[in-house]
C-alpha cells in the first residue's frame, strides 16, 4: 500500500512489520516521532510488543541487550548524543553477538549543541562492531528496517539503520508499505540458537582471559582474542549474507538489488561523486546538470558502511579518473572517514598507466548547515576540471568564516 | 548451530574449581572434633553453624559434618562460629607428611 | 506470612560451586550461597562488574548453577527490565529476575537505571551486597563507604563524607519492599528474599557484607564483624513493607532489650578505622545513641514493666 508519511513513520512501520518483541525508547530529537509512533501503535493494540520507556539511552540499549540475550527480537532508536551515550553498550551488544536492530536518525553531536543533521554520530561509532546501513529515502528506510532484522538474526551481529535527521525523518514522501503476510514469510519469528534459560543455565559475557583455557570437560575454549577474531571474520562474511537477504527481499517485494552501493550515471563516468543518504540524491541533480555540460560524472552512494564493501567500492571507482567524496562527518585531525576508507579500498588497484584515481574530500552540512545545489555544482565542477592540489586536506563547502 | 554460536561468545558452563583446587590456599586446616561437635555427639541433625556460615559451601550438613579439603580455603569462619569450639585450626604444614 | 526458616529447613542443595575465586572469608560467599538457595533454580541473575563477577567464574567456567547475564556497570537494573520484557514476550512465566550488584554498581554508577526501573515498577528483585567500597578494583571509596574509613583513594585522612543511605533512597521510590540484611545473619537474609519474591514490582535488599582484605580484619572474623555492626546499632536490620518501617531480626531484639554494644568495639576491630580518634568514635556513638533512642521510644521499656 502506498502512503505519504514521514521517514520516522516509515521506520516505525518497518518495526511493526518486523514484529519486534521488545522496544526500548528514550526521546531525543529528531528520533522522537519514531518511538512516539511505536508507542501509539502498541497502545492502540495494533502491535504486540513490550514498549519500555527508559530513563536513558544507556538503559535503552541495556534493555535490548538483555532482551535479546533472553531470546526476544529487540529494537531501539536514537540520535546524536544518545548514540554516544550508548557507546559502551554498542561494543557490548556486538561482542555478545546479539541481533539487535537500532535506527540512528543522524544528527550532529555536541558541543556546541545542535539538533540538525550530519553524520558525525553514527560515523564515530563505526568501530563498535555493528553493521551500518544508510537509507537514502523513505522507501529505503522501511525496507532496510525489515531487512536489518533478517540480516542481524542470520549473522548474529547487531545492525544500525541510519537515516538523515529532518531531511528524511521529518519530511513527507510517498512509499510502499509491504504486505504483512509477505513480510512474515520474509522474516519468520526469531529462533535464537541459545538464550538465557533456567533449564539450560550459562553465564554470559564472563570475564575472558588473554589466553585460551580448557572448560570443565577439558575441551579447549577460546580466549578474548579468538572471540573478537570471530566477530571480525563474521563481519566480513556478513557481506554475503547482506546480498542474500537483499536478493530474497527483491524476489518478494521487487525492490533492492544494490545493498552495498548505489550508482547513478556512473558506468562511463570519468569522475564519481560519493555521498551518503539524502545527499546522494542531491548530488544526482548536480550530476545531471554537469552531464548536460558534457562533464562525464556520476554518483555513488554508500548504502553499507560497515562492513566496508571494499571490493564493490574498488570495482566501482578504480577505473575512473577522480573520486570526490562529500561528507557530513570528520575524523578530526585528518579527513572524512569515508574518504579514508575509499582511498584504502583503492590502494591495491593501479590503472594501466600506473596511476590510481585521485580522491578528494569535501566536508559540508555539519550541524545542518544548508547544502546549496550551487555550492555542490561549483565544487564538483572544479574538481572535475582542474588538477587537484593537496588532495589529503579536506575542502569545506558552505563555510562562512 | 548452537555450539557454533556459543563458541563465538563468552558462554560459561557451571562447574567446580574455577580457581583450581582452592584447598591449596589454606594455611590453617579446620579439623572437627567429633567428641565436641553437637551433631556428631548427639547423632541427630542439629547445630550446623559451620555449614550455614561456610562462604564456600565446603562443609556438609551430615553426621558428623565433613569438610571438603580439596576446596576449603581455610578462612576459619567455621572454627570461629562453632558454638562448642569443636573446630580447631591446625597448621597445614603439620599434615604435609600425612598427605604425601 | 512466611514462617521463619531454620538451619535444618534451609535447602541443602548448593547452587554455588566450591573452588570459586572469592577471597577466603568473603562474606559475599555466604550471602550469595544463601541468597541463591532462597531464589531457587528458576531464576536469571544479572551481574555488573564487581567481586561477584569474579566469584562467578572466568570463561569458560561458571561457579554458579543459575543462568547469568554479565552487563555493563551502569545497566544492571535496565538489563533486568530487558529480561522481564523478553520473558513476557516469549510467554515464559514464573522465572525470578534478579539484579545482584555491589555497592558501587548500586549506589553510584547503577543508581540511575535502578531509579528508572523503580519508577516504572518493573517486577524484579535487586540485591546490593554492600562491602562499602570498590573492592574488586582494589578498595577505593564508594558512596557507601562509611565516614572515617581508610581506602586506597582516601589513604591518609579516611573518607570525609557520610555513607549514602541507599535503602532510604529506594524507600523514597515507594517500591513495595525494601529490606536491609547482613551476611552475618543468613537465615534472616533467606527469609527476606523469600518474602521479597512475594511482592510485585521492584524489591530491594541491601546486604551488609564484611570484606576481610578491604576492611582490614582476619578472614575468620567476617561473621563476627558483621554481627558487631548490627549489635552496636551502627547498621540496622529492617524492612519497609508498603512504606511501613520496622526493625527486624537481631535489630528488633536489640530494641526490645535496649542494650547496644559500644560502637568502639566495631571500629577498633578493623584496620580501615585505624585513624579514627577516640573523640571521633565518641561522636559516632552519640549519633547511634540518638538514632536508637528514637527506636526505643516506640516500644515499652522492658525494665519498667518488670521492676527488679
Amino acid at each position: 500500500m502506498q502512503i505519504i508519511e514521514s521517514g520516522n513513520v516509515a521506520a516505525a512501520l518497518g518495526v511493526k512489520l518486523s514484529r519486534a518483541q521488545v522496544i526500548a525508547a528514550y526521546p531525543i530529537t529528531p528520533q522522537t516521532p519514531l518511538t512516539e509512533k511505536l508507542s501509539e501503535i502498541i497502545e492502540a493494540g495494533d502491535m504486540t510488543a513490550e514498549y519500555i520507556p527508559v530513563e536513558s539511552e544507556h538503559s535503552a540499549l541495556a534493555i535490548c541487550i538483555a532482551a535479546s540475550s533472553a531470546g526476544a527480537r529487540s529494537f531501539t532508536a536514537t540520535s546524536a548524543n544518545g548514540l554516544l551515550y550508548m557507546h559502551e553498550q554498542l561494543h557490548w551488544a556486538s561482542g555478545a553477538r546479539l541481533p539487535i536492530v537500532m535506527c540512528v536518525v543522524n544528527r550532529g553531536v555536541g558541543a556546541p549543541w545542535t539538533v540538525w543533521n550530519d553524520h558525525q554520530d553514527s560515523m564515530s561509532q563505526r568501530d563498535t562492531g555493528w553493521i551500518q546501513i544508510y537509507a537514502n529515502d523513505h522507501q529505503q528506510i522501511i525496507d532496510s528496517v525489515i531487512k536489518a532484522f533478517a540480516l542481524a538474526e542470520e549473522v548474529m551481529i547487531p545492525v544500525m539503520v541510519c537515516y538523515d535527521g529532518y531531511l528524511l525523518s521529518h519530511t513527507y514522501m510517498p512509499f510502499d508499505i509491504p504486505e504483512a503476510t509477505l513480510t512474515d514469510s520474509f522474516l519468520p519469528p526469531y529462533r535464537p540458537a541459545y538464550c538465557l534459560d533456567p533449564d539450560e543455565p550459562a553465564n554470559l559475557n564472563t570475564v575472558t582471559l588473554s589466553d585460551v583455557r580448557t572448560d570443565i570437560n577439558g575441551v579447549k575454549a577460546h580466549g578474548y582474542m579468538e572471540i573478537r577474531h570471530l566477530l571480525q571474520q563474521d563481519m566480513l562474511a556478513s557481506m554475503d549474507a547482506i546480498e542474500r537477504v537483499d536478493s530474497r527481499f527483491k524476489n518478494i517485494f521487487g525492490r533492492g538489488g544494490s545493498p552495498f552501493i548505489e550508482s547513478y550515471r556512473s558506468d562511463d563516468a570519468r569522475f564519481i561523486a560519493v555521498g551518503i543518504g539524502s545527499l546522494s540524491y542531491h548530488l544526482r541533480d548536480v550530476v545531471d546538470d554537469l552531464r548536460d555540460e558534457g562533464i562525464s560524472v556520476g554518483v555513488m552512494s554508500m548504502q553499507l558502511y560497515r562492513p566496508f564493501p571494499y571490493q564493490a567500492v574498488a570495482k566501482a571507482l578504480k577505473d575512473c579518473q577522480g573520486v570526490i567524496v562529500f561528507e557530513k562527518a570528520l575524523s578530526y585531525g585528518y579527513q572524512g572517514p569515508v574518504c579514508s576508507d575509499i582511498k584504502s579500498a583503492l590502494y591495491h588497484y593501479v590503472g594501466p598507466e600506473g596511476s590510481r584515481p585521485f580522491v578528494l574530500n569535501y566536508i559540508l552540512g555539519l550541524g545542518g548547515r544548508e547544502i546549496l545545489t550551487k555550492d555542490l555544482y561549483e565544487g564538483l565542477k572544479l574538481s572535475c576540471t582542474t588538477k587537484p592540489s593537496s588532495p589529503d586536506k579536506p575542502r569545506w563547502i558552505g563555510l562562512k568564516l | 548451530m548452537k555450539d557454533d554460536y556459543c563458541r563465538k561468545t563468552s558462554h560459561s558452563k557451571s562447574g567446580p574449581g574455577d580457581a583450581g583446587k582452592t584447598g591449596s590456599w589454606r594455611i590453617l586446616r579446620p579439623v572437627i572434633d567429633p567428641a565436641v561437635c553437637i551433631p556428631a555427639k548427639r547423632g541427630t541433625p542439629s547445630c550446623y553453624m559451620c555449614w550455614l556460615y561456610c562462604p564456600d559451601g565446603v562443609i556438609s550438613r551430615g553426621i558428623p559434618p565433613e569438610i571438603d579439603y580439596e576446596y576449603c580455603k581455610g578462612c576459619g569462619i567455621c572454627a570461629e562460629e562453632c558454638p562448642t569450639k569443636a573446630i580447631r585450626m591446625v597448621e597445614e604444614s603439620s599434615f604435609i607428611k600425612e598427605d604425601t | 506470612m512466611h514462617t521463619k526458616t531454620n538451619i535444618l529447613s534451609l535447602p541443602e542443595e548448593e547452587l554455588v560451586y566450591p573452588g570459586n575465586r572469592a577471597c577466603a572469608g568473603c562474606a559475599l560467599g555466604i550471602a550469595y550461597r544463601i541468597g541463591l538457595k532462597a531464589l531457587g533454580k528458576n531464576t536469571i541473575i544479572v551481574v555488573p562488574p564487581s567481586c561477584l563477577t569474579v566469584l562467578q567464574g572466568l570463561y569458560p567456567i561458571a561457579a554458579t548453577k543459575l543462568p547469568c547475564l554479565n552487563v555493563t556497570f551502569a545497566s544492571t537494573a535496565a538489563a533486568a527490565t530487558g529480561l522481564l520484557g523478553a520473558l513476557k514476550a516469549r510467554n515464559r512465566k514464573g522465572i525470578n529476575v534478579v539484579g545482584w550488584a555491589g555497592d558501587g554498581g548500586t549506589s553510584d554508577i547503577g543508581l540511575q537505571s535502578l531509579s528508572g526501573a523503580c519508577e516504572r515498577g518493573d517486577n524484579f528483585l535487586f540485591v546490593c551486597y554492600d562491602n562499602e567500597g570498590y573492592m574488586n578494583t582494589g578498595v577505593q571509596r564508594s558512596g557507601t563507604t562509611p565516614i572515617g574509613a581508610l581506602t586506597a583513594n582516601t589513604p591518609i585522612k579516611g573518607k570525609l563524607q557520610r555513607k549514602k543511605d541507599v535503602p532510604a533512597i529506594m524507600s523514597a521510590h515507594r517500591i513495595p519492599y525494601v529490606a536491609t540484611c547482613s551476611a552475618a545473619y543468613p537465615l534472616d537474609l533467606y527469609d527476606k528474599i523469600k518474602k521479597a519474591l512475594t511482592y510485585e514490582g521492584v524489591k530491594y535488599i541491601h546486604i551488609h557484607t564484611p570484606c576481610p582484605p578491604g576492611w582490614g580484619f582476619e578472614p575468620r572474623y567476617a561473621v563476627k564483624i558483621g554481627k558487631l555492626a548490627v549489635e552496636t546499632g551502627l547498621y540496622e536490620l529492617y524492612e519497609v513493607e508498603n512504606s511501613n518501617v520496622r526493625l527486624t531480626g537481631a535489630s528488633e531484639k536489640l530494641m526490645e532489650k535496649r542494650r547496644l554494644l559500644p560502637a568502639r568495639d566495631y571500629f577498633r576491630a578493623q584496620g580501615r578505622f585505624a585513624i579514627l580518634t577516640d573523640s571521633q568514635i565518641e561522636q559516632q556513638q552519640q549519633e547511634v545513641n540518638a538514632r536508637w533512642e528514637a527506636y526505643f521510644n516506640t516500644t515499652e521499656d522492658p525494665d519498667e514493666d518488670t521492676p527488679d
Side-chain angles (χ1 to χ4, degrees):
Chain A
M1 184 180 66
Q2 283 277 336
I3 62 164
I4 296 174
E5 253 299 354
S6 71
N8 276 330
V9 168
L13 295 174
V15 174
K16 180 191 171 197
L17 286 168
S18 300
R19 301 193 189 280
Q21 295 168 290
V22 174
I23 294 164
Y26 187 76
I28 185 166
T29 302
Q31 159 264 43
T32 326
L34 156 53
T35 47
E36 284 172 355
K37 184 70 187 175
L38 283 170
S39 70
E40 180 192 320
I41 292 170
I42 294 164
E43 275 193 26
D46 294 334
M47 178 185 187
T48 306
E50 297 301 307
Y51 181 92
I52 302 167
V54 282
E55 84 300 328
S56 74
E57 290 90 354
H58 193 276
S59 287
L61 203 44
I63 278 170
C64 292
I65 286 167
S68 191
S69 301
R73 184 172 285 166
S74 307
F75 176 82
T76 188
T78 191
S79 297
N81 289 60
L83 181 65
L84 306 190
Y85 194 32
M86 290 176 173
H87 181 67
E88 68 160 340
Q89 303 283 50
L90 295 174
H91 282 282
W92 201 266
S94 60
R97 303 301 299 269
L98 300 169
I100 299 161
V101 171
M102 169 161 64
C103 282
V104 176
V105 188
N106 289 116
R107 159 181 160 182
V109 301
W113 280 123
T114 171
V115 295
W116 296 281
N117 168 248
D118 68 36
H119 293 150
Q120 192 66 42
D121 51 0
S122 55
M123 283 286 153
S124 68
Q125 304 306 310
R126 67 169 190 193
D127 298 338
T128 54
W130 282 58
I131 292 170
Q132 281 196 4
I133 291 167
Y134 286 81
N136 299 342
D137 59 30
H138 296 42
Q139 189 67 62
Q140 286 187 7
I141 293 171
I142 185 169
D143 291 353
S144 295
V145 166
I146 298 162
K147 285 193 264 192
F149 280 105
L151 172 63
E153 288 165 16
E154 182 173 337
V155 298
M156 298 305 280
I157 293 173
V159 179
M160 275 181 214
V161 176
C162 309
Y163 56 92
D164 291 321
Y166 291 116
L167 299 172
L168 295 177
S169 68
H170 284 62
T171 52
Y172 283 67
M173 293 286 284
F175 59 90
D176 177 64
I177 307 172
E179 282 296 322
T181 49
L182 296 177
T183 51
D184 284 346
S185 71
F186 172 77
L187 179 65
Y190 175 42
R191 297 262 178 269
Y194 173 81
C195 67
L196 283 169
D197 190 337
D199 295 335
E200 201 184 350
N203 190 8
L204 302 183
N205 316 321
T206 329
V207 177
T208 299
L209 294 169
S210 313
D211 210 346
V212 296
R213 188 183 182 213
T214 51
D215 70 11
I216 47 172
N217 302 315
V219 177
K220 187 181 87 178
H222 294 141
Y224 178 89
M225 201 151 102
E226 286 69 29
I227 289 171
R228 287 284 163 172
H229 171 80
L230 290 170
L231 175 58
Q232 161 72 351
Q233 293 301 101
D234 288 355
M235 191 76 160
L236 290 172
S238 73
M239 280 191 271
D240 293 338
I242 290 164
E243 282 194 308
R244 278 198 301 276
V245 166
D246 181 73
S247 113
R248 217 156 50 74
F249 190 88
K250 189 165 190 246
N251 287 341
I252 300 172
F253 302 100
R255 290 187 297 271
S258 43
F260 300 153
I261 55 169
E262 253 185 25
S263 293
Y264 178 76
R265 301 185 81 168
S266 291
D267 287 349
D268 62 337
R270 286 174 60 210
F271 302 95
I272 294 178
V274 178
I276 285 184
S278 59
L279 175 61
S280 70
Y281 283 5
H282 200 169
L283 284 166
R284 289 183 184 189
D285 285 345
V286 174
V287 158
D288 286 343
D289 290 346
L290 291 171
R291 282 271 180 182
D292 290 346
E293 294 177 28
I295 297 173
S296 171
V297 59
V299 182
M300 182 187 98
S301 73
M302 298 289 315
Q303 306 297 111
L304 178 71
Y305 182 53
R306 281 293 179 274
F308 192 68
Y310 58 98
Q311 286 168 320
V313 166
K315 187 163 174 256
L317 302 178
K318 68 182 171 56
D319 296 323
C320 71
Q321 196 175 321
V323 179
I324 305 98
V325 186
F326 292 85
E327 284 193 81
K328 298 188 201 173
L330 186 52
S331 175
Y332 285 89
Y334 193 30
Q335 55 190 201
V338 178
C339 177
S340 297
D341 286 340
I342 285 177
K343 281 189 195 169
S344 172
L346 288 171
Y347 183 80
H348 300 293
Y349 296 92
V350 180
E353 285 128 52
S355 63
R356 297 184 191 91
F358 67 77
V359 181
L360 286 183
N361 194 192
Y362 284 96
I363 303 300
L364 75 176
L366 298 191
R369 172 61 55 89
E370 189 178 5
I371 299 169
L372 299 173
T373 309
K374 174 177 74 76
D375 289 347
L376 287 179
Y377 169 86
E378 284 169 6
L380 191 52
K381 186 171 181 180
L382 187 74
S383 303
C384 297
T385 51
T386 55
K387 195 175 160 59
S389 60
S390 55
D392 285 331
K393 271 194 188 165
R395 297 139 194 237
W396 291 63
I397 284 179
L399 198 61
K400 298 175 183 174
L401 283 175
Chain B
M1 184 181 141
K2 188 182 118 199
D3 287 352
D4 186 46
Y5 171 64
C6 292
R7 280 176 61 78
K8 293 175 179 179
T9 63
S10 176
H11 177 112
S12 298
K13 288 185 178 158
S14 348
D18 166 52
K21 306 288 187 205
T22 47
S24 67
W25 297 9
R26 227 169 30 239
I27 299 164
L28 299 174
R29 178 183 295 196
V31 176
I32 302 173
D33 182 350
V36 187
C37 166
I38 295 170
K41 220 166 53 173
R42 286 192 194 156
T44 55
S46 47
C47 182
Y48 295 129
M49 296 298 269
C50 54
W51 173 81
L52 178 69
Y53 281 118
C54 177
D56 290 280
V58 295
I59 305 179
S60 73
R61 199 168 68 179
I63 301 171
E66 284 175 3
I67 299 172
D68 181 352
Y69 292 119
E70 198 165 47
Y71 291 116
C72 164
K73 293 170 183 166
C75 69
I77 289 175
C78 55
E80 198 63 36
E81 297 308 317
C82 174
T84 57
K85 300 287 165 213
I87 302 177
R88 282 183 309 128
M89 297 304 289
V90 182
E91 285 283 344
E92 202 55 46
S93 56
S94 65
F95 297 97
I96 288 174
K97 204 180 268 179
E98 187 186 304
D99 288 351
T100 49
Chain C
M1 176 73 200
H2 188 75
T3 51
K4 283 203 168 170
T5 304
N6 61 46
I7 292 184
L8 294 176
S9 61
L10 266 186
E12 192 161 10
E13 188 186 1
E14 300 294 341
L15 299 176
V16 186
Y17 274 108
N20 61 54
R21 267 166 222 271
C23 302
C26 172
L28 170 61
I30 304 171
Y32 199 51
R33 209 187 124 223
I34 302 300
L36 294 199
K37 285 175 191 279
L39 293 170
K41 280 184 167 172
N42 210 18
T43 299
I44 303 177
I45 307 243
V46 184
V47 177
S50 70
C51 292
L52 181 54
T53 319
V54 177
L55 185 156
Q56 295 228 92
L58 270 47
Y59 179 69
I61 301 172
T64 59
K65 298 180 187 173
L66 302 182
C68 170
L69 183 65
N70 288 277
V71 298
T72 57
F73 214 168
S75 67
T76 315
T81 300
L83 288 180
L84 289 168
L87 293 172
K88 196 170 169 203
R90 300 182 63 233
N91 203 22
R92 294 290 310 264
K93 295 193 176 112
I95 296 174
N96 303 315
V97 171
V98 180
W100 196 302
D103 44 287
T106 306
S107 75
D108 295 339
I109 194 169
L111 194 57
Q112 174 177 311
S113 65
L114 179 54
S115 176
C118 288
E119 184 270 330
R120 289 189 302 268
D122 298 329
N123 186 28
F124 63 81
L125 170 64
F126 196 100
V127 177
C128 167
Y129 72 95
D130 182 8
N131 52 23
E132 303 188 326
Y134 289 88
M135 300 327 197
N136 197 33
T137 46
V139 194
Q140 294 81 24
R141 77 188 282 290
S142 78
T144 70
T145 302
I147 191 167
L150 294 166
T151 68
N153 58 355
T154 55
I156 297 166
K157 295 179 180 171
K159 190 185 173 189
L160 302 175
Q161 300 81 10
R162 287 168 186 281
K163 183 182 174 81
K164 191 189 280 189
D165 189 349
V166 186
I169 295 170
M170 296 304 290
S171 300
H173 287 81
R174 301 196 175 194
I175 55 175
Y177 187 77
V178 173
T180 61
C181 298
S182 163
Y185 298 92
L187 295 173
D188 179 62
L189 167 65
Y190 181 92
D191 283 341
K192 282 174 175 165
I193 289 180
K194 282 284 188 199
K195 187 190 264 188
L197 294 177
T198 65
Y199 283 97
E200 279 280 319
V202 176
K203 288 79 64 174
Y204 179 76
I205 290 187
H206 193 98
I207 310 173
H208 195 239
T209 308
C211 168
W215 294 9
F217 62 83
E218 285 184 40
R220 64 194 161 118
Y221 296 129
V223 172
K224 285 270 184 303
I225 297 285
K227 285 187 173 170
L228 263 178
V230 171
E231 288 168 351
T232 54
L234 283 161
Y235 182 84
E236 293 100 324
L237 302 177
Y238 64 87
E239 279 178 338
V240 189
E241 281 183 87
N242 294 320
S243 301
N244 297 314
V245 188
R246 125 189 132 80
L247 290 179
T248 55
S251 295
E252 189 181 18
K253 286 202 186 92
L254 281 179
M255 183 174 69
E256 286 160 3
K257 290 182 184 165
R258 304 196 167 211
R259 257 174 230 110
L260 302 176
L261 293 179
R264 180 186 182 80
D265 292 2
Y266 179 71
F267 292 121
R268 289 298 183 228
Q270 301 170 62
R272 63 176 171 156
F273 294 117
I275 57 156
L276 280 190
T277 61
D278 286 345
S279 70
Q280 283 170 321
I281 290 177
E282 182 50 34
Q283 194 188 333
Q284 295 217 33
Q285 184 68 64
Q286 298 297 333
E287 286 181 19
V288 172
N289 291 350
R291 209 163 65 232
W292 280 81
E293 203 52 46
Y295 299 143
F296 295 152
N297 286 338
T298 63
T299 58
E300 288 179 5
D301 189 335
D303 294 335
E304 280 177 14
D305 293 340
T306 52
D308 297 320

